[in-house]
Amino acid sequence: MGLLEGKRLLVTGVLTDSSIAYNVAKLAQEEGAQVVLTGFGRLSLVERIAKRLPEPPPVVELDVQNGEHLDTLADRVGEHLDGLDGVVHSIGFAPQTCLGGNFLNTAWEDVATAVHVSTFSFKSLAVACLPLMKEGGAIVGLDFDATKAWPVYDWMGVAKAGLESCSRYLARDLGKHGIRVNLVAAGPLRTMAAKSIPGFQEFEESWPDRAPLGWDLGDTAPAARACVALLSDWFPATTGEIVHVDGGVHAMGG
Ligand SMILES: NC(=O)c1ccc[n+]([C@@H]2O[C@H](COP(=O)([O-])OP(=O)(O)OC[C@H]3O[C@@H](n4cnc5c(N)ncnc54)[C@H](O)[C@@H]3O)[C@@H](O)[C@H]2O)c1
């Protein structure tokens, strides 16, 4: 019996097969879940990638900045699943001006976009899915440790600090619905989102050396496994938590 046998999941954030969300969807299906994906922008690309999964899942359109997409999400997902037991938020975006060492000069409009897509959307997605989560369940988001100021990560780091706080408030307000809300703080991984960060190689060079367990920048499986575990019934009393899947870097000094 799989860890997610009988679970109905909505997984956002699949763009390529290197997306963290792609591996979450794959592992979730292997563990017995029924999956629906959301796609942003290039839907035909997401549909093509979805076909590589063990069970090609339906793809529904979602731009988290589009109010109509959010308002109709439950109905559109409801055409494929009769409810949801889990939701994965694997969405992040910041305009180039927000990244790469321009911290002191970034305009508010660009910061607002980063926070809208990467932070506020965690709340929007949770609220949009609530009508389908009548039996409770789990919401999991993807984080990058926001307790420190990193090189080049800049306003995305601020957006992630907001995501960490947003996750705790969601845990507070959704607990009464039997919904757990947790984050997986992954180490750096070579995805499209990471490649768009100027200077990302600074992380690539130091992380594997600093991690007591070592770190493979090309392997999204450890982060995906943590997501699947948090979506399962094996964390029944855990909410508002951040699980670090970073080879141990967050715990090291120096
Ligand atoms: N790659 C890393 O090093 C790393 C580390 C820790 C956390 N994360 C987080 O993991 C999550 C997934 O990123 P990834 O690394 O798999 O990269 P990715 O580029 O594969 O995924 C990012 C996703 O965000 C989606 N997206 C962007 N704007 C959107 C919008 N307006 N509406 C809906 N979706 C939108 C994209 O379509 C894409 O699917 C992000 O939250 C990212 O910050 C990534």
Side-chain angles (χ1 to χ4, degrees), residues 32-46:
Q34 274 180 278
V35 172
V36 169
L37 301 182
T38 71
F40 166 62
R42 289 171 279 177
L43 268 203
S44 57
L45 175 61
V46 180

Side-chain angles (χ1 to χ4, degrees), residues 13 19-20 40 62-64 90-91 142-143 160 186 188-189 191 193:
S19 295
I20 299 169
F40 166 62
L62 177 64
D63 172 355
V64 291
S90 190
I91 294 170
L142 271 302
D143 182 29
K160 288 299 190 193
L189 293 160
T191 62

Side-chain angles (χ1 to χ4, degrees), residues 101-142:
N102 190 42
F103 187 80
L104 297 180
N105 301 310
T106 312
W108 161 242
E109 290 69 27
D110 293 343
V111 174
T113 300
V115 170
H116 193 175
V117 177
S118 314
T119 310
F120 186 73
S121 67
F122 198 40
K123 193 279 306 181
S124 315
L125 180 68
V127 169
C129 292
L130 204 52
L132 292 172
M133 299 186 80
K134 296 218 161 48
E135 293 148 48
I139 301 177
V140 179
L142 271 302

Side-chain angles (χ1 to χ4, degrees), residues 32-115:
Q34 274 180 278
V35 172
V36 169
L37 301 182
T38 71
F40 166 62
R42 289 171 279 177
L43 268 203
S44 57
L45 175 61
V46 180
E47 277 158 1
R48 208 162 58 236
I49 299 294
K51 290 204 177 85
R52 296 186 198 163
L53 288 165
E55 287 279 326
V59 181
V60 301
E61 189 174 16
L62 177 64
D63 172 355
V64 291
Q65 292 192 289
N66 182 319
E68 197 189 327
H69 285 187
L70 289 161
D71 290 345
T72 58
L73 185 66
D75 285 344
R76 291 182 294 124
V77 173
E79 289 170 17
H80 304 286
L81 298 171
D82 56 5
L84 282 174
D85 306 293
V87 177
V88 178
H89 178 284
S90 190
I91 294 170
F93 172 76
Q96 285 291 297
T97 53
C98 289
L99 300 155
N102 190 42
F103 187 80
L104 297 180
N105 301 310
T106 312
W108 161 242
E109 290 69 27
D110 293 343
V111 174
T113 300
V115 170

